[in-house]
């Protein structure tokens, strides 16, 4: 099995090479891509069975690269590792991962022992592995009951892309009333505190405030918006 490492930081590459060699003695070789675009090319090499993927890179991010790799080779096992425990990243991965495909997500701050476990769980055993530290960080950063449903998150993405309610309804295949109800739920969960009087008197736009709150709470991030925009453009 050939392992592809996708990372644009030289120190992280050296660390990953060492840890993969220790954790996966069955790996025949390790190859390295410096960004997502290069990763898409190298993933087409024969015998690439596993990928360790950074998420934030200057040229083509990890989610976009993973989407291309999975579209061509849906059984490729990918372990994402990142500095960030963003809800947007987890949702972005969940939207593109093929059915029955093994993948994982760990933070770069995990111990070498836990990284070894994640590497073997995903790339050898074919399991889905989300590091527990991510769940702890997310729990500290959000209030109970504030998590968006998948349907609410889809409306939030369309809202961020600038679509009006009627177009969102068409895109989501639901009624206009359903979209409006989901927007009200979004405003509540994202703590968009703008009443009707303030909206009318001061011109405060509740929709823009919702997107701002989503970015501040890292419910959305730049990578998730870039991915949604590329999907809209059919790229």
């Amino acid at each position: 099995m050939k392992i592809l490492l996708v990372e644009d930081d030289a120190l992280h590459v050296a660390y990953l090479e060492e840890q993969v060699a220790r954790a996966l003695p069955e790996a025949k070789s390790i190859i390295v891509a410096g960004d997502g675009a290069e990763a898409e090319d190298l993933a087409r090499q024969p015998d690439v069975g596993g990928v360790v993927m950074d998420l934030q890179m200057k040229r083509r991010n990890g989610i976009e690269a993973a989407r291309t790799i999975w579209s061509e080779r849906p059984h490729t096992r990918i372990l994402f590792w990142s500095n960030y425990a963003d809800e947007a990243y987890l949702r972005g991965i969940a939207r593109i991962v093929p059915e029955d495909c093994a993948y994982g997500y760990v933070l770069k701050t995990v111990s070498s022992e836990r990284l070894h476990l994640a590497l073997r769980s995903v790339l050898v055993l074919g399991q889905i592995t989300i590091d527990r530290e991510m769940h702890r960080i997310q729990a500290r950063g959000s209030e109970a009951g504030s998590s968006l449903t998948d349907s609410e998150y889809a409306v939030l993405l369309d809202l961020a892309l600038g679509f009006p309610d009627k177009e969102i309804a068409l895109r989501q295949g639901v009624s206009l009333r359903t979209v409006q109800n989901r927007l009200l739920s979004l405003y509540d969960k994202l703590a968009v505190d703008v009443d009707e009087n303030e909206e009318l008197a001061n011109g405060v736009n509740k929709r823009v405030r919702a997107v701002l709150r989503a970015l501040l709470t890292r419910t959305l991030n730049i990578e998730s918006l870039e991915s949604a925009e590329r999907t809209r453009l059919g790229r």
Side-chain angles (χ1 to χ4, degrees), residues 26 28 33 122 212:
E26 53 270 87
K28 295 179 180 178
V122 176
L212 173 63

PDB file of all heavy atoms in Angstrom, residues 26 28 33 122 212:
ATOM      1  N   GLU A  26       3.267  -1.805   7.093  1.00  0.00           N
ATOM      2  CA  GLU A  26       2.851  -2.453   5.848  1.00  0.00           C
ATOM      3  C   GLU A  26       2.851  -1.509   4.655  1.00  0.00           C
ATOM      4  O   GLU A  26       2.647  -1.934   3.509  1.00  0.00           O
ATOM      5  CB  GLU A  26       1.470  -3.099   5.990  1.00  0.00           C
ATOM      6  CG  GLU A  26       0.377  -2.200   6.509  1.00  0.00           C
ATOM      7  CD  GLU A  26       0.251  -2.232   8.019  1.00  0.00           C
ATOM      8  OE1 GLU A  26       0.968  -1.457   8.674  1.00  0.00           O
ATOM      9  OE2 GLU A  26      -0.561  -3.009   8.546  1.00  0.00           O
ATOM     10  N   LYS A  28       4.213   0.351   1.678  1.00  0.00           N
ATOM     11  CA  LYS A  28       5.357   0.105   0.795  1.00  0.00           C
ATOM     12  C   LYS A  28       6.140   1.380   0.530  1.00  0.00           C
ATOM     13  O   LYS A  28       7.359   1.361   0.391  1.00  0.00           O
ATOM     14  CB  LYS A  28       4.876  -0.492  -0.519  1.00  0.00           C
ATOM     15  CG  LYS A  28       4.255  -1.881  -0.376  1.00  0.00           C
ATOM     16  CD  LYS A  28       3.782  -2.396  -1.737  1.00  0.00           C
ATOM     17  CE  LYS A  28       3.154  -3.773  -1.597  1.00  0.00           C
ATOM     18  NZ  LYS A  28       2.644  -4.281  -2.910  1.00  0.00           N
ATOM     19  N   ALA A  33       2.449  15.391  -1.283  1.00  0.00           N
ATOM     20  CA  ALA A  33       1.921  16.491  -2.103  1.00  0.00           C
ATOM     21  C   ALA A  33       1.909  17.758  -1.263  1.00  0.00           C
ATOM     22  O   ALA A  33       1.560  17.722  -0.081  1.00  0.00           O
ATOM     23  CB  ALA A  33       0.512  16.165  -2.586  1.00  0.00           C
ATOM     24  N   VAL A 122      -8.230   4.049  10.340  1.00  0.00           N
ATOM     25  CA  VAL A 122      -8.791   4.494   9.064  1.00  0.00           C
ATOM     26  C   VAL A 122      -8.124   3.789   7.888  1.00  0.00           C
ATOM     27  O   VAL A 122      -8.798   3.201   7.029  1.00  0.00           O
ATOM     28  CB  VAL A 122      -8.652   6.027   8.912  1.00  0.00           C
ATOM     29  CG1 VAL A 122      -9.148   6.470   7.537  1.00  0.00           C
ATOM     30  CG2 VAL A 122      -9.437   6.732  10.012  1.00  0.00           C
ATOM     31  N   LEU A 212     -22.718  36.329   9.326  1.00  0.00           N
ATOM     32  CA  LEU A 212     -21.630  36.802  10.184  1.00  0.00           C
ATOM     33  C   LEU A 212     -21.502  35.938  11.431  1.00  0.00           C
ATOM     34  O   LEU A 212     -20.402  35.513  11.810  1.00  0.00           O
ATOM     35  CB  LEU A 212     -21.868  38.258  10.575  1.00  0.00           C
ATOM     36  CG  LEU A 212     -20.883  38.837  11.614  1.00  0.00           C
ATOM     37  CD1 LEU A 212     -19.465  38.838  11.060  1.00  0.00           C
ATOM     38  CD2 LEU A 212     -21.302  40.246  12.017  1.00  0.00           C
TER      39      LEU A 212
END
